[in-house]
Amino acid sequence: MSRFFKLAMPRFRGGALVLFFLLFVSGCTATREHEIEGDVNEFRSWVNAQTSKLEERTEEDWKKTKEDFKQRTEELDRKQEGFSEKLRTDYEQIKADFKAREKERDSLANREAEITKWERDLLGQYANGTALTAANIEQAYQNFMSNVRARNKNWEQQDWEMAAAVLEELNQRKEAFDELPDETEVRIKTIQIEFAALKESETAK
């Protein structure tokens, strides 16, 4: 073995070790980035699944979802040092999308609670849908219209919209009764027309 080759061997081995180390670190970094990207993509899928059909989510179920969101974001926030700029932007957008849907869900819940209150005020004992029967559905409409006549003097546009929502809910419940007497249908139709006309005249002022 030549003297030059003997002198070069240690340098070659040292360079090979450095190259191996760099390749190893690069491979680990790429693997880590791939894992983090997978975590963010899984988070995106979770958010999409949790925020679909918000109107069907119960209050208890949605509360659990918000707790899960907090836990998941805390875990991902700790990994942000490994985020690329694009991944960080994507992650922030996913969180913003969830928060926007959360506001929408809260708005739906508030409206549902408001409608429930208006149903109690305008339908009285018939506010609970399970209390309705084919025999008393007409009375429920009469209760509704009687309360509308008595209360509407100081109503604003939003109040009329809530009353209309109560009537629409009552109309949907009526559909469960397939064959009502013709005279009952006529009287109910008269009440529906009276409400529509009164609403139009009052909100046009």
Side-chain angles (χ1 to χ4, degrees):
M1 183 179 295
S2 70
R3 181 169 178 274
F4 173 79
F5 188 71
K6 290 180 179 179
L7 290 173
M9 279 295 290
R11 295 179 182 176
F12 176 76
R13 289 173 179 170
L17 287 173
V18 171
L19 179 60
F20 174 78
F21 177 75
L22 291 175
L23 290 173
F24 176 77
V25 171
S26 177
C28 289
T29 301
T31 300
R32 179 61 177 160
E33 289 177 352
H34 183 71
E35 290 176 353
I36 292 174
E37 185 176 356
D39 291 341
V40 173
N41 286 335
E42 192 277 333
F43 178 59
R44 178 187 289 106
S45 297
W46 179 84
V47 166
N48 289 339
Q50 295 300 315
T51 56
S52 65
K53 298 183 179 180
L54 289 176
E55 67 280 0
E56 298 179 5
R57 305 294 298 277
T58 65
E59 192 63 33
E60 182 178 353
D61 185 35
W62 184 244
K63 181 180 178 181
K64 177 64 167 56
T65 293
K66 292 197 290 187
E67 291 172 353
D68 289 347
F69 174 82
K70 183 174 183 293
Q71 180 179 346
R72 287 169 180 267
T73 52
E74 286 176 350
E75 292 175 356
L76 285 170
D77 286 347
R78 289 193 290 268
K79 299 178 181 180
Q80 284 206 59
E81 287 186 5
F83 284 18
S84 66
E85 191 61 34
K86 180 181 182 304
L87 197 59
R88 183 175 289 105
T89 300
D90 289 347
Y91 175 55
E92 292 301 324
Q93 185 59 55
I94 296 168
K95 290 196 293 184
D97 290 344
F98 181 88
K99 288 299 183 180
R101 297 290 279 167
E102 181 180 9
K103 288 182 179 179
E104 184 179 340
R105 172 62 180 76
D106 291 343
S107 178
L108 286 172
N110 291 337
R111 179 174 172 78
E112 188 66 28
E114 189 71 7
I115 289 177
T116 298
K117 176 182 178 300
W118 276 80
E119 286 180 341
R120 289 196 300 267
D121 290 344
L122 298 182
L123 297 179
Q125 69 191 81
Y126 303 109
N128 185 342
T130 59
L132 289 174
T133 66
N136 65 27
I137 185 68
E138 181 184 342
Q139 184 59 50
Y141 277 92
Q142 290 175 353
N143 276 22
F144 168 81
M145 201 62 230
S146 176
N147 284 315
V148 168
R149 295 189 197 103
R151 299 165 184 249
N152 79 83
K153 300 305 179 184
N154 297 317
W155 281 3
E156 297 180 356
Q157 178 70 37
Q158 184 177 358
D159 299 310
W160 282 103
E161 290 176 356
M162 296 305 298
V166 172
L167 180 59
E168 178 59 29
E169 180 67 21
L170 185 59
N171 291 338
Q172 291 180 13
R173 292 174 183 172
K174 184 177 82 71
E175 295 304 314
F177 310 118
D178 296 328
E179 296 184 6
L180 294 174
D182 290 343
E183 58 272 21
T184 298
E185 291 281 11
V186 169
R187 287 191 290 268
I188 287 175
K189 187 64 176 178
T190 299
I191 290 172
Q192 292 168 334
I193 292 173
E194 179 186 352
F195 174 81
L198 186 58
K199 177 177 180 291
E200 182 176 356
S201 65
E202 291 297 323
T203 56
K205 293 178 180 179

PDB file of all heavy atoms in Angstrom, residues 18-38:
ATOM      1  N   VAL A  18     -18.709  11.435   8.367  1.00  0.00           N
ATOM      2  CA  VAL A  18     -19.433  12.712   8.357  1.00  0.00           C
ATOM      3  C   VAL A  18     -20.595  12.661   7.381  1.00  0.00           C
ATOM      4  O   VAL A  18     -21.706  13.094   7.679  1.00  0.00           O
ATOM      5  CB  VAL A  18     -18.483  13.873   8.002  1.00  0.00           C
ATOM      6  CG1 VAL A  18     -19.281  15.162   7.765  1.00  0.00           C
ATOM      7  CG2 VAL A  18     -17.466  14.085   9.115  1.00  0.00           C
ATOM      8  N   LEU A  19     -20.335  12.103   6.167  1.00  0.00           N
ATOM      9  CA  LEU A  19     -21.388  11.996   5.166  1.00  0.00           C
ATOM     10  C   LEU A  19     -22.522  11.110   5.650  1.00  0.00           C
ATOM     11  O   LEU A  19     -23.704  11.429   5.483  1.00  0.00           O
ATOM     12  CB  LEU A  19     -20.800  11.428   3.867  1.00  0.00           C
ATOM     13  CG  LEU A  19     -21.793  11.232   2.711  1.00  0.00           C
ATOM     14  CD1 LEU A  19     -22.419  12.567   2.331  1.00  0.00           C
ATOM     15  CD2 LEU A  19     -21.101  10.600   1.512  1.00  0.00           C
ATOM     16  N   PHE A  20     -22.143   9.981   6.266  1.00  0.00           N
ATOM     17  CA  PHE A  20     -23.153   9.075   6.804  1.00  0.00           C
ATOM     18  C   PHE A  20     -24.001   9.773   7.864  1.00  0.00           C
ATOM     19  O   PHE A  20     -25.224   9.642   7.902  1.00  0.00           O
ATOM     20  CB  PHE A  20     -22.479   7.837   7.393  1.00  0.00           C
ATOM     21  CG  PHE A  20     -23.436   6.915   8.090  1.00  0.00           C
ATOM     22  CD1 PHE A  20     -24.247   6.057   7.362  1.00  0.00           C
ATOM     23  CD2 PHE A  20     -23.563   6.928   9.481  1.00  0.00           C
ATOM     24  CE1 PHE A  20     -25.150   5.210   7.998  1.00  0.00           C
ATOM     25  CE2 PHE A  20     -24.464   6.093  10.123  1.00  0.00           C
ATOM     26  CZ  PHE A  20     -25.250   5.228   9.375  1.00  0.00           C
ATOM     27  N   PHE A  21     -23.318  10.542   8.732  1.00  0.00           N
ATOM     28  CA  PHE A  21     -24.028  11.248   9.807  1.00  0.00           C
ATOM     29  C   PHE A  21     -24.998  12.275   9.231  1.00  0.00           C
ATOM     30  O   PHE A  21     -26.141  12.389   9.677  1.00  0.00           O
ATOM     31  CB  PHE A  21     -23.017  11.936  10.722  1.00  0.00           C
ATOM     32  CG  PHE A  21     -23.650  12.753  11.810  1.00  0.00           C
ATOM     33  CD1 PHE A  21     -24.232  12.138  12.913  1.00  0.00           C
ATOM     34  CD2 PHE A  21     -23.694  14.141  11.722  1.00  0.00           C
ATOM     35  CE1 PHE A  21     -24.832  12.884  13.911  1.00  0.00           C
ATOM     36  CE2 PHE A  21     -24.302  14.890  12.713  1.00  0.00           C
ATOM     37  CZ  PHE A  21     -24.865  14.260  13.814  1.00  0.00           C
ATOM     38  N   LEU A  22     -24.523  13.019   8.204  1.00  0.00           N
ATOM     39  CA  LEU A  22     -25.381  14.024   7.592  1.00  0.00           C
ATOM     40  C   LEU A  22     -26.596  13.393   6.928  1.00  0.00           C
ATOM     41  O   LEU A  22     -27.713  13.909   7.011  1.00  0.00           O
ATOM     42  CB  LEU A  22     -24.584  14.836   6.565  1.00  0.00           C
ATOM     43  CG  LEU A  22     -23.508  15.770   7.143  1.00  0.00           C
ATOM     44  CD1 LEU A  22     -22.715  16.407   6.010  1.00  0.00           C
ATOM     45  CD2 LEU A  22     -24.138  16.847   8.021  1.00  0.00           C
ATOM     46  N   LEU A  23     -26.355  12.266   6.235  1.00  0.00           N
ATOM     47  CA  LEU A  23     -27.468  11.567   5.596  1.00  0.00           C
ATOM     48  C   LEU A  23     -28.448  11.031   6.635  1.00  0.00           C
ATOM     49  O   LEU A  23     -29.663  11.062   6.440  1.00  0.00           O
ATOM     50  CB  LEU A  23     -26.939  10.421   4.728  1.00  0.00           C
ATOM     51  CG  LEU A  23     -26.192  10.828   3.458  1.00  0.00           C
ATOM     52  CD1 LEU A  23     -25.575   9.593   2.790  1.00  0.00           C
ATOM     53  CD2 LEU A  23     -27.122  11.543   2.501  1.00  0.00           C
ATOM     54  N   PHE A  24     -27.902  10.551   7.747  1.00  0.00           N
ATOM     55  CA  PHE A  24     -28.742  10.015   8.816  1.00  0.00           C
ATOM     56  C   PHE A  24     -29.617  11.110   9.417  1.00  0.00           C
ATOM     57  O   PHE A  24     -30.828  10.944   9.605  1.00  0.00           O
ATOM     58  CB  PHE A  24     -27.867   9.389   9.904  1.00  0.00           C
ATOM     59  CG  PHE A  24     -28.636   8.902  11.098  1.00  0.00           C
ATOM     60  CD1 PHE A  24     -29.347   7.713  11.041  1.00  0.00           C
ATOM     61  CD2 PHE A  24     -28.649   9.647  12.274  1.00  0.00           C
ATOM     62  CE1 PHE A  24     -30.071   7.270  12.146  1.00  0.00           C
ATOM     63  CE2 PHE A  24     -29.363   9.208  13.373  1.00  0.00           C
ATOM     64  CZ  PHE A  24     -30.069   8.023  13.305  1.00  0.00           C
ATOM     65  N   VAL A  25     -28.978  12.276   9.724  1.00  0.00           N
ATOM     66  CA  VAL A  25     -29.725  13.400  10.292  1.00  0.00           C
ATOM     67  C   VAL A  25     -30.780  13.893   9.317  1.00  0.00           C
ATOM     68  O   VAL A  25     -31.922  14.181   9.679  1.00  0.00           O
ATOM     69  CB  VAL A  25     -28.765  14.545  10.666  1.00  0.00           C
ATOM     70  CG1 VAL A  25     -29.554  15.803  11.039  1.00  0.00           C
ATOM     71  CG2 VAL A  25     -27.868  14.122  11.816  1.00  0.00           C
ATOM     72  N   SER A  26     -30.384  13.973   8.023  1.00  0.00           N
ATOM     73  CA  SER A  26     -31.329  14.425   7.007  1.00  0.00           C
ATOM     74  C   SER A  26     -32.514  13.474   6.905  1.00  0.00           C
ATOM     75  O   SER A  26     -33.662  13.898   6.790  1.00  0.00           O
ATOM     76  CB  SER A  26     -30.620  14.523   5.647  1.00  0.00           C
ATOM     77  OG  SER A  26     -31.527  14.888   4.638  1.00  0.00           O
ATOM     78  N   GLY A  27     -32.224  12.180   6.962  1.00  0.00           N
ATOM     79  CA  GLY A  27     -33.294  11.185   6.903  1.00  0.00           C
ATOM     80  C   GLY A  27     -34.222  11.282   8.097  1.00  0.00           C
ATOM     81  O   GLY A  27     -35.448  11.197   7.956  1.00  0.00           O
ATOM     82  N   CYS A  28     -33.654  11.486   9.288  1.00  0.00           N
ATOM     83  CA  CYS A  28     -34.468  11.621  10.495  1.00  0.00           C
ATOM     84  C   CYS A  28     -35.353  12.866  10.425  1.00  0.00           C
ATOM     85  O   CYS A  28     -36.514  12.850  10.821  1.00  0.00           O
ATOM     86  CB  CYS A  28     -33.570  11.684  11.733  1.00  0.00           C
ATOM     87  SG  CYS A  28     -32.779  10.115  12.132  1.00  0.00           S
ATOM     88  N   THR A  29     -34.756  13.960   9.912  1.00  0.00           N
ATOM     89  CA  THR A  29     -35.504  15.210   9.788  1.00  0.00           C
ATOM     90  C   THR A  29     -36.680  15.048   8.828  1.00  0.00           C
ATOM     91  O   THR A  29     -37.796  15.485   9.098  1.00  0.00           O
ATOM     92  CB  THR A  29     -34.588  16.338   9.289  1.00  0.00           C
ATOM     93  OG1 THR A  29     -33.510  16.510  10.219  1.00  0.00           O
ATOM     94  CG2 THR A  29     -35.363  17.641   9.156  1.00  0.00           C
ATOM     95  N   ALA A  30     -36.403  14.383   7.684  1.00  0.00           N
ATOM     96  CA  ALA A  30     -37.468  14.165   6.702  1.00  0.00           C
ATOM     97  C   ALA A  30     -38.570  13.297   7.274  1.00  0.00           C
ATOM     98  O   ALA A  30     -39.761  13.548   7.057  1.00  0.00           O
ATOM     99  CB  ALA A  30     -36.892  13.524   5.447  1.00  0.00           C
ATOM    100  N   THR A  31     -38.178  12.265   8.023  1.00  0.00           N
ATOM    101  CA  THR A  31     -39.160  11.381   8.646  1.00  0.00           C
ATOM    102  C   THR A  31     -40.002  12.139   9.656  1.00  0.00           C
ATOM    103  O   THR A  31     -41.222  11.985   9.722  1.00  0.00           O
ATOM    104  CB  THR A  31     -38.458  10.206   9.338  1.00  0.00           C
ATOM    105  OG1 THR A  31     -37.722   9.464   8.366  1.00  0.00           O
ATOM    106  CG2 THR A  31     -39.476   9.286  10.010  1.00  0.00           C
ATOM    107  N   ARG A  32     -39.329  12.993  10.452  1.00  0.00           N
ATOM    108  CA  ARG A  32     -40.027  13.777  11.461  1.00  0.00           C
ATOM    109  C   ARG A  32     -41.012  14.741  10.801  1.00  0.00           C
ATOM    110  O   ARG A  32     -42.163  14.878  11.255  1.00  0.00           O
ATOM    111  CB  ARG A  32     -38.996  14.551  12.294  1.00  0.00           C
ATOM    112  CG  ARG A  32     -39.594  15.428  13.380  1.00  0.00           C
ATOM    113  CD  ARG A  32     -40.364  14.611  14.383  1.00  0.00           C
ATOM    114  NE  ARG A  32     -40.878  15.416  15.469  1.00  0.00           N
ATOM    115  CZ  ARG A  32     -41.870  15.063  16.251  1.00  0.00           C
ATOM    116  NH1 ARG A  32     -42.483  13.900  16.050  1.00  0.00           N
ATOM    117  NH2 ARG A  32     -42.273  15.841  17.230  1.00  0.00           N
ATOM    118  N   GLU A  33     -40.582  15.412   9.735  1.00  0.00           N
ATOM    119  CA  GLU A  33     -41.467  16.328   9.026  1.00  0.00           C
ATOM    120  C   GLU A  33     -42.668  15.593   8.450  1.00  0.00           C
ATOM    121  O   GLU A  33     -43.786  16.102   8.467  1.00  0.00           O
ATOM    122  CB  GLU A  33     -40.694  17.041   7.912  1.00  0.00           C
ATOM    123  CG  GLU A  33     -39.686  18.065   8.423  1.00  0.00           C
ATOM    124  CD  GLU A  33     -38.891  18.687   7.289  1.00  0.00           C
ATOM    125  OE1 GLU A  33     -39.030  18.200   6.142  1.00  0.00           O
ATOM    126  OE2 GLU A  33     -38.134  19.642   7.547  1.00  0.00           O
ATOM    127  N   HIS A  34     -42.426  14.386   7.951  1.00  0.00           N
ATOM    128  CA  HIS A  34     -43.522  13.591   7.380  1.00  0.00           C
ATOM    129  C   HIS A  34     -44.523  13.214   8.478  1.00  0.00           C
ATOM    130  O   HIS A  34     -45.739  13.252   8.256  1.00  0.00           O
ATOM    131  CB  HIS A  34     -42.954  12.334   6.735  1.00  0.00           C
ATOM    132  CG  HIS A  34     -43.981  11.485   6.059  1.00  0.00           C
ATOM    133  ND1 HIS A  34     -44.608  11.850   4.892  1.00  0.00           N
ATOM    134  CD2 HIS A  34     -44.526  10.282   6.419  1.00  0.00           C
ATOM    135  CE1 HIS A  34     -45.473  10.924   4.547  1.00  0.00           C
ATOM    136  NE2 HIS A  34     -45.444   9.963   5.461  1.00  0.00           N
ATOM    137  N   GLU A  35     -44.010  12.870   9.666  1.00  0.00           N
ATOM    138  CA  GLU A  35     -44.892  12.520  10.780  1.00  0.00           C
ATOM    139  C   GLU A  35     -45.730  13.721  11.216  1.00  0.00           C
ATOM    140  O   GLU A  35     -46.929  13.608  11.463  1.00  0.00           O
ATOM    141  CB  GLU A  35     -44.059  12.008  11.960  1.00  0.00           C
ATOM    142  CG  GLU A  35     -43.428  10.644  11.722  1.00  0.00           C
ATOM    143  CD  GLU A  35     -42.541  10.216  12.882  1.00  0.00           C
ATOM    144  OE1 GLU A  35     -42.318  11.054  13.793  1.00  0.00           O
ATOM    145  OE2 GLU A  35     -42.064   9.070  12.874  1.00  0.00           O
ATOM    146  N   ILE A  36     -45.080  14.885  11.297  1.00  0.00           N
ATOM    147  CA  ILE A  36     -45.793  16.098  11.710  1.00  0.00           C
ATOM    148  C   ILE A  36     -46.854  16.476  10.683  1.00  0.00           C
ATOM    149  O   ILE A  36     -47.985  16.836  11.028  1.00  0.00           O
ATOM    150  CB  ILE A  36     -44.798  17.265  11.911  1.00  0.00           C
ATOM    151  CG1 ILE A  36     -43.909  16.983  13.122  1.00  0.00           C
ATOM    152  CG2 ILE A  36     -45.540  18.586  12.098  1.00  0.00           C
ATOM    153  CD1 ILE A  36     -42.811  17.997  13.319  1.00  0.00           C
ATOM    154  N   GLU A  37     -46.513  16.363   9.410  1.00  0.00           N
ATOM    155  CA  GLU A  37     -47.477  16.648   8.349  1.00  0.00           C
ATOM    156  C   GLU A  37     -48.673  15.700   8.449  1.00  0.00           C
ATOM    157  O   GLU A  37     -49.827  16.106   8.258  1.00  0.00           O
ATOM    158  CB  GLU A  37     -46.816  16.516   6.987  1.00  0.00           C
ATOM    159  CG  GLU A  37     -47.726  16.912   5.832  1.00  0.00           C
ATOM    160  CD  GLU A  37     -47.024  16.869   4.489  1.00  0.00           C
ATOM    161  OE1 GLU A  37     -45.808  16.612   4.464  1.00  0.00           O
ATOM    162  OE2 GLU A  37     -47.694  17.096   3.462  1.00  0.00           O
ATOM    163  N   GLY A  38     -48.377  14.432   8.773  1.00  0.00           N
ATOM    164  CA  GLY A  38     -49.460  13.465   8.957  1.00  0.00           C
ATOM    165  C   GLY A  38     -50.352  13.836  10.129  1.00  0.00           C
ATOM    166  O   GLY A  38     -51.581  13.686  10.062  1.00  0.00           O
TER     167      GLY A  38
END
